[in-house]
Amino acid sequence: MIQSKKEIIRLLEEIAIYMELKGENPFKIAAFRKAAQSLETDQRSLAEMGDITTLSGIGKTTGQIIQIFLETGESPELEALKKEVPAGLVPLLKVPGLGGKKLARLYQELGVIDRETLLEAGASGKIETLKGFGKKSSEKIIEGVKALGERPERYPIYEVLKAAQKVETYLEQIPEIKQFQQAGSLRRLSETVKDMDYVISTEQPEKVRVALEAFPFQSEVIGAGDTKVSLELALDISIAVDFRLVEPASFATTLHHFTGSKEHNIRMRQLAKERKEKISEYGVESESTERKTFTSEEAFFAHFDLPFIPPELRIDGTEIDRIKTTSPLLQQTDIRGDLHMHTTWSDGAYSIREMIEACIAKQYDYMVITDHGKFLRVANGLDEKRLRNQQEEIRKISADYPEIDVYSGVEMDILTDARLDFEADFLQELDFVIASIHSGFSQTKAEIMARLQAACESPYVRLIAHPTGRIIVNRSPYNVDVPELIQLAKNTNTALELNANPQRLDLDRAHLMLAAEAGVKIAINTDAHDTKHLDFMDLGVRAARKAWLSPPQILNTMTKEAFRQFILNK
Ligand code: DGT
Ligand code: CA
Ligand code: ZN
């Protein structure tokens, strides 16, 4: 079990926060913060640091906690703290002006344990009577809580994926659960999700219900019966989750039903009706036969003479017809390499060697190291000299790993005046050049398009990364005319990225379909800044399938040899 540096830092910070809420000794709390800070400022990756428990800035207790976390991936100290502090307190830390110290006092002195009790304390005028709070700050806190409390209608998928991991870790250790599966918009990889859905197969729903009611990170049980348990979770986001409990025989049809989409379900039901059958969450019925159940969704679709329709394609019902004539869709195993990733040379958390070994673990045939270029100073971007050194280093290290071809590239900025960050002569020395925009987001369409055109027209730029710059829900795309970019890419034989980071998924579905139709190659890349981020490839593949993409349209499905030729053939 290997934990990343960032995870250790987060662990230490989380421990500090919970200790603060609990009202622990400030010196103890400070020790955790100090340790987190000294890890953060250290440039080396975890492995390069060796035994981090001996670093100055990391005390004996902290060292032991880190040691256990490194060995087991768990922290009994943090878990114990979490049990002592009400789960409803943690989301309140997001209220402006309400740090751990102040919140701890509200908890200890006024019995505040969640949003409701905090609002009550405010309404009754108790907050302003506390020493150091006053009327002004009490009003500000209440305002903040109210703003926070109006929870958004829908959450971006990456927030929900994080919450889902916590949920699933918990489900995995309930012995009476035979099988569980995500459903709803989460399983369909929608960009935003209103609430989470799970289907659970069990022969002992009563026991599972009790276990679910004891889920640790929740603010309330919304409802609980033997077929459905609904909780309001208090994780980084406060989101509802519905668990459907079903007997094993009906698992496949219930899963299909609660995966949706609603439009997909309606179309499936029409299809059944035409055959004088009826689909319910429990199976397929007809007048002449008993209710039929299925061992898998594949078998369910096969019953209607359909191939398996991947959940991410269950959108508006038209997929049910289109799936019959489509070429084989992209699978995880079609991906032969990752062409966009960062190392400790710029703002990545892992060394070249660590990234190589992580890509080997993914059984890739090739990979490209693409740290940031010099323009991105905040990311410790590399100038010509450092890039040359890095290339030498990559060549040297990769000699130890004959099983994978490691290419040296760069993620080069397209400057605001449409110049590129490096001269053509220099770019020629690199194996693979990615160009992208990280500045001038408010420029006009003409300015943005001039920049993208300059990048596409450079003979050395092979790929435009995260072409629209959007962050799902949180940042709109810059002023890019995607159809025009697709034409530019086509004319210059430049590939466009499907950035698989769940905050981005950029290009999106509609644009991927346009690009594919135009015959522009798509590269699905993780843009990993951490070995764990390489796992985003799975999301990237699903996002590509959502756009009906098949292997020949994807740059990084090329064989090792074909990709080598592609690199050589500048
Ligand atoms: P969300 O939660 O808004 O992000 O999107 P979903 O698709 O997860 O919607 P949700 O949670 O209301 O329901 C989960 C699935 O259950 C939905 O995709 C299809 C199925 N479902 C729910 N209500 C209905 C309904 O009234 N008719 C049909 N045919 N299916 C439904
Ligand atoms: Ca849902
Ligand atoms: Zn980038």
Side-chain angles (χ1 to χ4, degrees):
M1 174 82 58
I2 301 166
Q3 307 303 319
S4 77
K5 198 163 128 183
K6 286 204 177 105
E7 278 172 311
I8 297 173
I9 294 169
R10 195 173 332 122
L11 169 74
L12 299 175
E13 280 168 352
E14 232 181 310
I15 289 177
I17 284 174
Y18 276 96
M19 286 181 133
E20 205 159 42
L21 290 178
K22 211 188 123 193
E24 272 281 7
N25 175 342
F27 291 105
K28 275 174 82 176
I29 300 167
F32 284 95
R33 296 237 154 91
K34 191 172 157 225
Q37 197 134 48
S38 64
L39 282 178
E40 187 124 54
T41 48
D42 200 307
Q43 287 300 313
R44 295 167 298 170
S45 83
L46 204 52
E48 288 167 343
M49 281 190 273
D51 182 2
I52 63 170
T53 60
T54 61
L55 285 184
S56 73
I58 295 186
K60 196 164 157 233
T61 325
T62 322
Q64 280 165 355
I65 288 173
I66 296 174
Q67 197 58 44
I68 292 170
F69 184 60
L70 282 172
E71 281 163 15
T72 65
E74 282 165 32
S75 176
E77 283 75 14
L78 179 61
E79 294 315 312
L81 280 166
K82 282 185 175 172
K83 288 209 183 86
E84 291 176 63
V85 174
L89 275 185
V90 178
L92 299 177
L93 284 167
K94 292 209 180 105
V95 175
L98 202 54
K101 262 191 219 134
K102 279 197 165 168
L103 190 55
R105 292 190 49 210
L106 293 175
Y107 165 45
Q108 282 142 20
E109 295 173 36
L110 299 181
V112 167
I113 54 165
D114 56 16
R115 179 171 181 270
E116 277 63 46
T117 45
L118 179 54
L119 287 172
E120 278 166 29
S124 65
K126 280 189 193 147
I127 295 181
E128 59 201 77
T129 63
L130 285 188
K131 211 177 142 214
F133 277 80
K135 200 170 165 75
K136 263 245 165 70
S137 92
S138 166
E139 278 167 4
K140 196 173 155 230
I141 289 169
I142 296 306
E143 233 170 76
V145 179
K146 283 186 177 152
L148 182 80
E150 282 145 28
R151 71 177 171 81
E153 278 292 290
R154 309 186 65 80
Y155 293 96
I157 183 73
Y158 55 92
E159 297 277 13
V160 184
L161 287 165
K162 277 192 278 179
Q165 252 175 13
K166 292 234 167 95
V167 169
E168 287 161 31
T169 307
Y170 186 73
L171 295 183
E172 270 156 22
Q173 48 86 46
I174 301 178
E176 292 83 11
I177 291 182
K178 286 193 84 163
Q179 202 183 344
F180 70 85
Q181 177 71 265
Q182 295 174 355
S185 49
L186 173 61
R187 183 167 184 237
R188 300 197 311 277
L189 197 69
S190 299
E191 289 184 0
T192 62
V193 169
K194 179 171 92 321
D195 55 26
M196 300 171 35
D197 302 275
Y198 282 89
V199 178
I200 293 174
S201 114
T202 178
E203 275 149 355
Q204 290 164 282
E206 171 70 13
K207 287 207 170 125
V208 174
R209 175 177 65 78
V210 172
L212 291 175
E213 284 175 308
F215 185 78
F217 314 96
Q218 61 167 314
S219 55
E220 78 179 295
V221 177
I222 304 167
D226 279 353
T227 57
K228 180 176 169 184
V229 177
S230 301
L231 307 177
E232 177 78 18
L233 303 186
L235 295 163
D236 291 336
I237 51 175
S238 81
I239 186 170
V241 53
D242 288 341
F243 300 97
R244 315 276 171 169
L245 312 185
V246 54
E247 55 182 44
S250 293
F251 182 73
T253 38
T254 304
L255 177 61
H256 177 266
H257 176 81
F258 288 108
T259 297
S261 68
K262 203 168 157 187
E263 292 72 18
H264 169 89
N265 287 356
I266 289 171
R267 182 78 187 90
M268 284 301 295
R269 281 165 189 220
Q270 277 175 353
L271 209 65
K273 206 171 163 195
E274 288 161 19
R275 304 157 49 119
K276 301 211 161 29
E277 289 178 331
K278 192 168 168 289
I279 300 175
S280 78
E281 26 178 317
Y282 305 107
V284 175
E285 291 160 55
S286 72
E287 268 177 24
S288 50
T289 59
E290 285 212 357
R291 185 160 74 205
K292 197 169 160 37
T293 58
F294 303 90
T295 52
S296 64
E297 274 189 331
E298 279 83 355
F300 169 79
F301 282 115
H303 176 80
F304 295 100
D305 302 314
L306 289 169
F308 179 73
I309 303 178
E312 53 276 355
L313 268 173
R314 302 179 199 168
I315 299 171
D316 59 6
T318 59
E319 62 277 358
I320 291 167
D321 296 305
R322 181 163 174 180
I323 195 85
K324 291 188 220 159
T325 55
T326 196
S327 29
L329 294 165
L330 186 71
Q331 303 296 326
Q332 197 61 43
T333 47
D334 293 321
I335 299 294
R336 303 309 326 143
D338 197 331
L339 315 182
H340 182 175
M341 68 189 73
H342 301 267
T343 72
T344 46
W345 284 68
S346 68
D347 59 350
Y350 287 84
S351 65
I352 294 171
R353 194 177 285 278
E354 287 166 326
M355 292 307 282
I356 293 176
E357 290 182 355
C359 283
I360 290 173
K362 297 223 155 283
Q363 304 194 307
Y364 287 153
D365 289 328
Y366 47 86
M367 60 188 282
V368 192
I369 306 268
T370 55
D371 274 308
H372 291 288
K374 61 190 175 189
F375 170 81
L376 264 200
R377 290 233 194 98
V378 287
N380 195 22
L382 281 68
D383 61 10
E384 290 82 348
K385 183 156 171 272
R386 286 181 70 215
L387 272 168
R388 285 191 178 112
N389 289 342
Q390 191 193 35
Q391 183 169 55
E392 207 176 294
E393 186 76 7
I394 290 172
R395 301 257 147 97
K396 226 187 284 165
I397 296 174
S398 71
D400 296 342
Y401 302 96
E403 60 269 61
I404 191 165
D405 288 346
V406 186
Y407 296 103
S408 71
V410 68
E411 181 183 8
M412 170 181 66
D413 268 81
I414 312 171
L415 310 183
T416 48
D417 59 3
R419 279 181 308 122
L420 303 178
D421 200 14
F422 295 103
E423 299 292 333
D425 278 351
F426 174 71
L427 292 180
Q428 192 178 4
E429 295 175 28
L430 299 169
D431 295 328
F432 187 78
V433 177
I434 299 177
S436 59
I437 288 183
H438 296 111
S439 60
F441 280 35
S442 53
Q443 285 183 330
T444 63
K445 185 180 285 182
E447 287 169 316
I448 294 284
M449 291 315 292
R451 293 167 78 183
L452 291 167
Q453 179 170 1
C456 285
E457 285 175 354
S458 158
Y460 301 108
V461 171
R462 312 298 292 265
L463 172 72
I464 307 291
H466 41 77
T468 78
R470 71 140 175 196
I471 302 291
I472 294 174
V473 174
N474 287 321
R475 187 170 82 201
S476 304
Y478 38 70
N479 237 319
V480 48
D481 182 333
V482 179
E484 192 183 320
L485 172 63
I486 288 171
Q487 273 316 306
L488 286 169
K490 184 181 164 66
N491 298 340
T492 56
N493 200 14
T494 309
L496 297 179
E497 189 173 64
L498 161 49
N499 190 296
N501 184 311
Q503 300 197 34
R504 295 188 181 270
L505 297 177
D506 182 9
L507 296 174
D508 70 8
R509 173 176 196 254
H511 290 143
L512 287 172
M513 286 167 77
L514 269 185
E517 207 177 309
V520 169
K521 277 264 197 303
I522 303 294
I524 307 176
N525 295 325
T526 63
D527 195 354
H529 287 69
D530 186 304
T531 48
K532 285 231 170 86
H533 295 169
L534 293 168
D535 292 344
F536 293 156
M537 190 58 83
D538 168 52
L539 297 172
V541 168
R542 286 165 64 197
R545 269 204 300 265
K546 207 179 194 44
W548 296 95
L549 299 187
S550 54
Q553 294 164 315
I554 310 295
L555 189 64
N556 42 329
T557 58
M558 281 188 191
T559 64
K560 197 174 191 173
E561 189 46 40
F563 193 75
R564 193 197 314 258
Q565 287 310 318
F566 167 81
I567 291 283
L568 291 173
N569 174 22
K570 288 201 179 127

